Amino acid sequence: AVKPWRNWKMGEGESEETRQDDTKRDDSAWNDLMESDLVMKVYEGVEGGKMAEMGDFLSIEVSGYVLEGDYKDDKDAAVRGATEGGKKFLDKQRISLTIGDSDVAPALEMGAKFLCEGGKAHVLSHSKFAYGATGRLGTESLVSVKALQNVLYDIAVISVLSSSSDQFTTKESQIERAAAKKMLANDCYANEWDGMGKSRALRLYAKAADMMSSLLAEFPNPIPADLHDTRFKATSLVIDCLNNVGAVHLRSRDYGKAKQACARVIELDRQNIKALCRAAHAAMRDPASTYEESDLAISAAEEVLEKLSPKDHPKPFIEVRRLRHDLTKRKRQYKQQQKEMSKKMFLSQEDADQKLAKECLNGAEDDRETKEKRDSSILKRYWNAFMETQDMDRWKRYWRTLNIQLFIMFLFSLWQKQHFASMRKYASDDGHDSPQELSTQNEGGEHSSEF
């Protein structure tokens, strides 16, 4: 059972010392919010502090730290290790949330719900109640929350605005709650996109826009002078939230819904360059859009930019110019494709005959190459079959004998060459012209003894 900080009342038989001892015991205890996967420890409480209920609007200060390993064995040691190690993923900041609207991670919302106004607590959370299997992005000064990583929240409840109070329904309070949802949605868009951030950001933006649209419908007509500022804030929130809805749909490549969100913005503010640029961007990338629709969207943005200075709005100028260049290029490519298709559809008879003859020649060449490959494969197959039937050892012996014979013949040719060279030398010494002449004289008996 959850045991949040409570207001102590001395009952019968209860002394001041007993109350203080009980307070210390509750202050030092870890309370299970979701069994051991989500636990909370109140380290500073305020007597008489108001507890939040469903629908109440809270303002809290929160810091976030990543945990290494499991915290269930020694929770206090896990808190010390996280805070002293400085592994902070969420710097100390003030945020506002509505209990029950799922504006933040479940661990953070439950920790704030069970903490009284003015109280401070540590909340140890399993990853499934924090950032799940996707984690949270970090910055240069803050670490990232890895996938399936447990976290620690340090929470302090600053104020609690009851949903049953008269202040809750005032125009200023509604604007404050809508602005808080917008800020939380911006954080989801920037740091938690891969997880539940996309759906949560869309829900928060849409909820804030609906709240402000309902508020604007309540304004009298004509609007009193003292409500002009309030109406301006509400209108600005509606436009900003719908613009951000369009940005979320663009990032998730849902271009149809992005165009719808931008169209709602343009209905409220026809000069809103951000909505016009995003509408043009969505029209360019939506497969269902036509070139005429894209051209109209870009032209509307260009018409508004003509009244603005490029120095004051450099990004819209660059984006619209790029979109216009892309559209012109696509139109040119489309026209080229149409010309090529027309040529293919209306080929002359001569072109058709030439194309048919070329295809026949190519087909004959392919048949010749195919036949050569087939014949080559047949010869190779026959050769392999012949080699499989032979006695390879016998062929090796024959080859070795042939090599020896060739070597002997080579030696004999060298000897013969040397022999004829010697005969020429003897012949030249005796005055004979050639070895043949010497042999003839030898047969006649002359100079036989010398030979």
Side-chain angles (χ1 to χ4, degrees):
V2 177
K3 297 184 293 181
W5 186 276
R6 64 179 184 273
N7 299 327
W8 290 96
K9 295 182 179 180
M10 293 176 60
E12 295 181 2
E14 184 179 12
S15 64
E16 182 69 21
E17 292 78 7
T18 303
R19 185 179 70 82
Q20 292 178 355
D21 292 342
D22 290 342
T23 303
K24 292 179 181 178
R25 283 196 297 272
D26 282 342
D27 192 7
S28 62
W30 284 93
N31 297 322
D32 294 344
L33 303 182
M34 294 296 291
E35 298 181 349
S36 60
D37 291 334
L38 184 60
V39 295
M40 182 179 74
K41 175 184 177 181
V42 179
Y43 66 86
E44 184 177 325
V46 176
E47 293 188 17
K50 183 166 53 176
M51 297 290 296
E53 297 179 357
M54 295 297 291
D56 290 352
F57 183 63
L58 273 67
S59 178
I60 66 174
E61 282 187 351
V62 59
S63 301
Y65 303 85
V66 296
L67 297 175
E68 300 294 341
D70 194 5
Y71 60 84
K72 298 179 182 179
D73 295 335
D74 193 344
K75 301 178 180 62
D76 293 323
V79 172
R80 288 193 302 271
T83 55
E84 295 174 2
K87 298 179 180 179
K88 186 180 290 189
F89 71 87
L90 189 64
D91 207 358
K92 187 175 182 180
Q93 58 180 287
R94 179 173 293 194
I95 63 174
S96 300
L97 66 147
T98 302
I99 298 297
D101 282 3
S102 301
D103 293 345
V104 293
L108 183 56
E109 182 175 0
M110 293 187 69
K113 181 179 184 298
F114 291 109
L115 188 61
C116 68
E117 186 177 18
K120 297 180 180 180
H122 288 137
V123 177
L124 291 171
S125 171
H126 190 275
S127 61
K128 62 184 177 183
F129 295 113
Y131 304 104
T134 53
R136 175 187 169 90
L137 296 178
T139 61
E140 293 182 359
S141 58
L142 300 174
V143 300
S144 300
V145 180
K146 300 177 183 178
L148 304 177
Q149 189 168 26
N150 304 330
V151 299
L152 163 68
Y153 289 110
D154 189 353
I155 307 173
V157 177
I158 307 302
S159 63
V160 178
L161 178 61
S162 176
S163 58
S164 60
S165 64
D166 295 336
Q167 185 183 355
F168 189 82
T169 57
T170 62
K171 293 179 174 60
E172 291 75 12
S173 176
Q174 294 182 56
I175 291 174
E176 182 183 0
R177 285 185 281 126
K181 291 184 182 296
K182 175 194 167 188
M183 185 185 73
L184 294 173
N186 291 343
D187 181 73
C188 292
Y189 181 88
N191 301 312
E192 302 176 29
W193 178 263
D194 293 334
M196 298 297 293
K198 172 189 169 183
S199 58
R200 186 183 297 163
L202 277 175
R203 179 167 46 79
L204 290 173
Y205 285 137
K207 179 67 174 178
D210 292 342
M211 289 172 61
M212 292 299 95
S213 297
S214 300
L215 178 61
L216 289 172
E218 297 175 1
F219 279 86
N221 193 13
I223 300 174
D226 59 337
L227 293 179
H228 283 173
D229 185 55
T230 304
R231 184 180 183 277
F232 175 77
K233 291 180 180 178
T235 305
S236 298
L237 274 173
V238 172
I239 291 174
D240 290 344
C241 289
L242 291 176
N243 257 328
N244 293 342
V245 168
V248 173
H249 287 309
L250 274 178
R251 187 174 177 181
S252 58
R253 300 181 181 180
D254 194 345
Y255 302 116
K257 292 183 179 179
K259 290 189 293 185
Q260 294 175 6
C262 294
R264 290 183 61 187
V265 177
I266 297 171
E267 289 177 0
L268 298 172
D269 182 9
R270 294 187 178 277
Q271 305 297 316
N272 192 284
I273 188 60
K274 185 181 291 185
L276 290 169
C277 288
R278 288 176 178 169
H281 186 89
M284 279 291 294
R285 282 151 182 78
D286 187 9
S289 297
T290 61
Y291 288 124
E292 290 75 11
E293 181 182 358
S294 301
D295 195 4
L296 288 174
I298 296 173
S299 298
E302 290 173 338
E303 182 179 352
V304 174
L305 286 174
E306 289 178 356
K307 306 173 185 178
L308 302 177
S309 172
K311 295 182 180 179
D312 298 333
H313 304 82
K315 187 175 179 181
F317 273 89
I318 295 173
E319 184 176 358
V320 171
R321 286 181 181 178
R322 180 174 56 81
L323 290 174
R324 173 61 71 184
H325 177 268
D326 292 345
L327 180 61
T328 304
K329 183 178 179 181
R330 289 187 184 185
K331 285 183 175 180
R332 192 183 301 115
Q333 292 176 348
Y334 178 75
K335 290 181 179 179
Q336 184 65 26
Q337 291 175 357
Q338 291 294 324
K339 290 181 180 179
E340 293 178 357
M341 290 180 63
S342 299
K343 289 180 180 179
K344 292 179 181 179
M345 293 175 62
F346 301 102
L347 284 175
S348 62
Q349 186 62 36
E350 182 180 357
D351 293 337
D353 293 341
Q354 291 179 358
K355 183 178 179 181
L356 180 61
K358 186 176 181 180
E359 291 178 353
C360 292
L361 290 175
N362 292 336
E365 183 68 20
D366 293 340
D367 293 341
R368 186 183 63 79
E369 292 179 357
T370 303
K371 184 178 179 181
E372 290 179 354
K373 291 180 180 179
R374 184 173 63 252
D375 295 342
S376 175
S377 62
I378 292 174
L379 292 174
K380 186 175 181 180
R381 188 164 60 250
Y382 279 129
W383 173 255
N384 292 335
F386 170 74
M387 293 301 295
E388 289 178 357
T389 60
Q390 301 303 308
D391 185 359
M392 297 307 299
D393 293 336
R394 179 184 176 187
W395 281 104
K396 289 178 181 179
R397 290 194 301 272
Y398 171 77
W399 181 248
R400 193 180 302 113
T401 303
L402 180 61
N403 286 338
I404 293 172
Q405 293 176 352
L406 291 174
F407 181 69
I408 292 173
M409 292 174 65
F410 174 71
L411 293 178
F412 178 76
S413 64
L414 289 178
W415 175 85
Q416 191 177 27
K417 183 178 180 181
Q418 183 66 26
H419 175 68
F420 279 106
S422 300
M423 291 178 66
R424 290 192 194 96
K425 183 179 179 182
Y426 291 139
S428 60
D429 291 342
D430 295 338
H432 298 289
D433 294 332
S434 64
Q436 287 80 3
E437 183 181 352
L438 182 61
S439 300
T440 306
Q441 293 176 0
N442 235 354
E443 291 175 359
E446 192 176 356
H447 304 295
S448 59
S449 61
E450 293 182 4
F451 182 78

